[in-house]
Amino acid sequence: MKVTLSALDTCESSFTPLVVIELAQDVKDETKEWLKNRIITKKKDGGAQLLFRPLLNKYEKETLENQNLYLVGASNIRLLLGAEAVGLVKECSDNTMRAFTYGTRHNFKGFDDNNDDFLTMAECQFIIKHELENLRARDEKMIPGYPQAKLYPGKSLLRRLLTSGIVTQVFPLHDNEALKKLEDTWYTRLTLKYQPIDSIRGYFGETIALYFGFLEYFTFALVPMAIIGLPYYLFVWEDYDKYVIFASFNLIWSTVILEVWKRGCANMTYRWGTLVMKRQFEEPRPGFHGVLGINSVTGREEPLYPSYKRQLRIYLVSLPFVCLCLYFSLYVMMIYFDLEAWALGLHEDSGSEWTSVLLYVPSIIYAIVIEIMNRLYRYAAEFLTSWENHRLESAYQNHLILKVLVFNFLNCFASLFYIAFVLRDMKLLRQSLATLLITSQILNQIVESLLPYWLQRKHHVQVKRKVQALKADIDATLYEQVVLEKEMGTYLGTFDDYLELFLQFGYVSLFSCVYPLAAAFAVLNNFTEVNSDALKMCRVFKRPFSEPSASIGVWQLAFETMSVISVVTNCALIGMSPQVNALFPESKTDLILIVVAVEQMKLVAEDLKEEPREEGGKEKVA
């Protein structure tokens, strides 16, 4: 028998809560009732047809705080029909990957009418989020009780509620039992093992799983560099000029690891079904504003903002601001070199032990200043990118990433390029690279994981005491969980995590030939990073909504760009080495031509590797 949405029951009094909606404390009763009706109303009548109930009943509300918390769930059939609506791809019995449809559900591997585990919890929460975001205004001109919160046909109600401050947050709940199992196989036992990437994907979704997959892969890819670098460092420690062999290895390594990752990533996402999943139509981002009009592509009524105004904001405000920040970064760098000269002069005059330690102080101070400047600039970049008023979230992210990467690259690496190619001081280059790398790793571990974890533990104790003091007859376990999770910090995505790996990749691939221990320190950092990031995801931040992903996105391009810069840098370092210069004592022209030829041959080889794959992909699609 064919099941339709109109036949589903939305009045179950008891269900498994998957998502929490928190309203502002002063929200009017008519608004609450209107929102509830829109969520539980049948799809054909403009509702989401989900299950909905308050966290507390009427008596409990009189005795407890947090009265505006509501739980959202869905029946198994509703979730299966939602999986078809969002286009989830699943593996069929014949081992092919196909878009799931409810009518052919028995053709998919692992499906059973009596089994609720066909969809992962992350997929269920993603479906509920999709349904809530697709609740759209019909005949309403405003949100009931709030005349200033205007609506127009087709407007996403949830986005309007969030931007109006009526809904303060929407977040998915943790499954404590499943989370405990994941933690036991992931990070609670400090052993050298592969991460449970498929389990991470099942709990957090593909975007988070791809990050941890890339972190693990990158860490193991660093191991050969660390193994080669350790004896190289020990036996050629004082001879700073004997780096040609290591630089040559750097040339190959920085390109090969990215090519291998692309293959592994494609295998993973094909198995998960996101590689062949159709992209959803992208809605305007919540912060987008403009004059109400008709979109010429979709035919919908929505805010419109002229492209030329956005371009004016970018080129007349954002670009000059970024250039000013880059100039300030270079100015700070020159102050650092003045400090280095002062410390060196002091050491040469006295020659004592404490002045030899003082030689590292300018680099440490500069490393801390770099981290502070990076974080301050990040806030400014977010404000500017939001002010530019991009219509789509993808466009917003691309412009933000471009701003942040340009500044971070110059801020972190400008001093190293200056030392290498202007001062040509390999001893100072080694010292600066070591100090910048190690200091940034320590600061990131403290700021991103240890400090938030300590604050969260402190809050957890306070919530437990409050719940234990309650005399009301309530489901204390669920109440405690929801109250605790709603106060957790919101995970803002993988941006900062990928940025940290991007900078680390730069330190290793650009100049590790003069400091071969860079890869070893990166490996040690990443082994602890895996555990600290896992702890952060499970215990420090709210559970993020799953987001289907087919790759690491624009970060793949960022890493490939860094790889190209690494090729040029290492070729230049090889060309500067005394060993290579000894082969061309008479003329530098031949040397320059050979270095450029090697560089170009490597870049052409990368292009040739790409072309067959693209042709094969086209044939496969055809």
Side-chain angles (χ1 to χ4, degrees):
M1 185 181 81
K2 183 178 179 181
V3 177
T4 61
L5 283 170
S6 60
L8 294 179
D9 181 19
T10 58
C11 299
E12 295 183 29
S13 58
S14 178
F15 59 86
T16 302
L18 295 172
V19 174
V20 176
I21 298 177
E22 182 181 13
L23 304 182
Q25 288 298 321
D26 57 349
V27 173
K28 299 175 181 176
D29 290 338
E30 62 176 310
T31 309
K32 295 179 185 177
E33 191 63 28
W34 168 78
L35 178 61
K36 173 189 172 183
N37 289 334
R38 289 304 303 266
I39 290 176
I40 67 174
T41 297
K42 298 183 185 302
K43 287 281 285 185
K44 66 184 180 69
D45 296 325
Q49 207 158 348
L50 299 172
L51 304 175
F52 181 89
R53 69 176 174 88
L55 173 64
L56 305 173
N57 62 37
K58 186 176 180 181
Y59 166 71
E60 293 162 355
K61 285 183 180 182
E62 296 172 357
T63 58
L64 296 174
E65 299 175 356
N66 304 301
Q67 300 178 11
N68 286 338
L69 292 167
Y70 295 85
L71 308 176
V72 183
S75 65
N76 190 42
I77 295 175
R78 177 70 185 90
L79 290 170
L80 292 173
L81 292 168
E84 178 178 347
V86 299
L88 288 186
V89 174
K90 291 286 187 177
E91 187 177 5
C92 292
S93 302
D94 59 359
N95 297 323
T96 60
M97 304 298 294
R98 295 179 187 171
F100 177 80
T101 60
Y102 188 81
T104 60
R105 60 192 182 280
H106 294 289
N107 296 337
F108 290 86
K109 269 188 180 180
F111 183 84
D112 190 315
D113 285 323
N114 298 319
N115 185 4
D116 293 343
D117 297 331
F118 177 69
L119 298 174
T120 67
M121 190 174 183
E123 288 171 337
C124 293
Q125 291 170 332
F126 170 70
I127 291 166
I128 288 181
K129 179 194 174 193
H130 176 268
E131 295 298 339
L132 289 174
E133 287 183 339
N134 277 276
L135 269 176
R136 302 196 176 276
R138 305 185 88 185
D139 301 326
E140 306 101 324
K141 300 297 182 184
M142 64 177 186
I143 294 175
Y146 295 87
Q148 73 279 10
K150 303 296 183 183
L151 294 173
Y152 51 85
K155 172 66 179 176
S156 170
L157 297 180
L158 183 62
R159 289 171 182 253
R160 172 58 75 200
L161 290 165
L162 285 167
T163 54
S164 300
I166 299 169
V167 171
T168 57
Q169 60 178 334
V170 179
F171 62 93
L173 273 176
H174 276 294
D175 180 338
N176 289 328
E177 185 178 343
L179 182 62
K180 186 68 171 65
K181 289 180 181 178
L182 177 61
E183 289 177 315
D184 289 341
T185 58
W186 194 1
Y187 72 91
T188 53
R189 299 169 188 171
L190 297 176
T191 56
L192 294 177
K193 60 182 179 180
Y194 289 106
Q195 297 178 90
I197 300 298
D198 286 331
S199 299
I200 297 170
R201 177 252 171 178
Y203 194 84
F204 288 108
E206 289 79 15
T207 299
I208 303 297
L210 280 174
Y211 163 70
F212 281 100
F214 182 74
L215 173 59
E216 178 180 271
Y217 168 78
F218 181 57
T219 303
F220 281 108
L222 285 165
V223 171
M225 289 281 285
I227 293 173
I228 295 172
L230 188 59
Y232 201 93
Y233 177 86
L234 293 175
F235 296 116
V236 201
W237 164 245
E238 292 301 334
D239 196 341
Y240 299 100
D241 296 324
K242 291 183 178 178
Y243 54 75
V244 174
I245 297 175
F246 204 87
S248 303
F249 181 72
N250 247 345
L251 285 173
I252 302 168
W253 175 85
S254 61
T255 302
V256 169
I257 64 165
L258 295 177
E259 292 300 316
V260 175
W261 163 253
K262 280 198 281 192
R263 293 173 181 269
C265 178
N267 288 335
M268 272 196 301
T269 53
Y270 179 79
R271 190 175 72 249
W272 295 339
T274 53
L275 187 64
V276 294
M277 185 176 177
K278 290 182 179 179
R279 291 185 63 186
Q280 294 287 318
F281 176 77
E282 198 171 356
E283 295 287 338
R285 52 186 297 272
F288 177 67
H289 58 85
V291 179
L292 205 60
I294 303 297
N295 187 309
S296 58
V297 177
T298 64
R300 289 182 185 171
E301 190 178 28
E302 63 177 51
L304 302 177
Y305 189 76
S307 178
Y308 78 90
K309 287 187 178 181
R310 185 179 302 113
Q311 298 303 318
L312 287 174
R313 291 187 174 192
I314 292 173
Y315 291 111
L316 296 183
V317 179
S318 296
L319 184 59
F321 177 80
V322 172
C323 292
L324 181 65
C325 289
L326 295 178
Y327 172 79
F328 181 74
S329 174
L330 293 175
Y331 181 77
V332 172
M333 181 189 76
M334 299 313 296
I335 295 175
Y336 156 65
F337 285 124
D338 289 340
L339 288 174
E340 281 284 2
W342 171 78
L344 183 61
L346 194 64
H347 177 65
E348 289 175 348
D349 290 341
S350 64
S352 62
E353 290 186 6
W354 77 270
T355 55
S356 63
V357 174
L358 188 65
L359 289 174
Y360 290 92
V361 172
S363 296
I364 293 173
I365 293 174
Y366 184 50
I368 295 172
V369 170
I370 282 176
E371 289 298 316
I372 294 172
M373 288 171 62
N374 283 344
R375 294 180 186 279
L376 291 176
Y377 176 82
R378 169 73 185 276
Y379 294 125
E382 287 178 347
F383 172 80
L384 274 179
T385 311
S386 179
W387 177 73
E388 289 165 6
N389 198 28
H390 296 280
R391 179 178 177 273
L392 301 179
E393 183 65 26
S394 58
Y396 170 85
Q397 289 295 332
N398 289 340
H399 280 79
L400 176 62
I401 289 172
L402 180 61
K403 288 186 184 72
V404 172
L405 287 188
V406 168
F407 180 81
N408 277 254
F409 181 86
L410 188 79
N411 200 30
C412 294
F413 301 119
S415 62
L416 300 179
F417 278 102
Y418 187 83
I419 295 170
F421 300 114
V422 178
L423 301 180
R424 298 197 175 192
D425 186 342
M426 295 303 159
K427 184 176 181 179
L428 179 58
L429 179 61
R430 173 179 284 186
Q431 174 190 312
S432 297
L433 175 60
T435 308
L436 288 174
L437 176 64
I438 296 169
T439 305
S440 66
Q441 289 178 344
I442 293 172
L443 289 175
N444 282 325
Q445 291 283 359
I446 293 172
V447 173
E448 292 184 7
S449 298
L450 297 180
L451 182 61
Y453 178 70
W454 178 76
L455 294 173
Q456 182 56 34
R457 290 285 297 176
K458 191 175 179 181
H459 174 71
H460 195 169
V461 171
Q462 294 174 349
V463 171
K464 273 187 171 295
R465 287 174 182 168
K466 186 180 290 187
V467 172
Q468 289 170 357
L470 294 175
K471 296 181 180 179
D473 183 18
I474 66 168
D475 184 351
T477 304
L478 179 60
Y479 176 80
E480 178 185 344
Q481 180 186 354
V482 173
V483 172
L484 177 65
E485 289 185 25
K486 88 179 186 69
E487 296 297 335
M488 285 180 170
T490 301
Y491 182 66
L492 299 176
T494 54
F495 185 101
D496 289 323
D497 299 313
Y498 278 120
L499 179 61
E500 186 179 344
L501 289 181
F502 173 79
L503 296 176
Q504 187 185 89
F505 178 63
Y507 284 126
V508 174
S509 64
L510 291 173
F511 298 109
S512 65
C513 60
V514 297
Y515 184 60
L517 284 185
F521 278 114
V523 169
L524 291 175
N525 174 79
N526 288 359
F527 274 125
T528 59
E529 185 80 15
V530 167
N531 292 297
S532 62
D533 282 353
L535 174 69
K536 179 173 68 177
M537 294 302 306
C538 295
R539 295 296 173 185
V540 176
F541 291 114
K542 292 186 188 75
R543 183 179 186 175
F545 278 106
S546 166
E547 289 293 339
S549 297
S551 68
I552 62 174
V554 71
W555 289 104
Q556 181 73 38
L557 177 61
F559 277 88
E560 289 173 353
T561 303
M562 180 67 82
S563 176
V564 172
I565 298 172
S566 169
V567 170
V568 177
T569 303
N570 281 279
C571 283
L573 287 171
I574 291 171
M576 287 168 49
S577 68
Q579 298 96 317
V580 175
N581 275 309
L583 299 174
F584 304 91
E586 300 297 331
S587 173
K588 300 293 182 185
T589 305
D590 294 339
L591 172 59
I592 293 171
L593 290 174
I594 290 174
V595 170
V596 171
V598 170
E599 172 197 328
Q600 292 300 317
M601 286 170 60
K602 185 170 180 295
L603 296 177
V604 168
E606 291 178 34
D607 292 337
L608 290 175
K609 280 189 291 186
E610 287 294 326
E611 286 177 9
R613 189 179 307 165
E614 290 176 5
E615 291 172 5
K618 290 175 184 175
E619 289 171 7
K620 189 175 180 181
V621 172

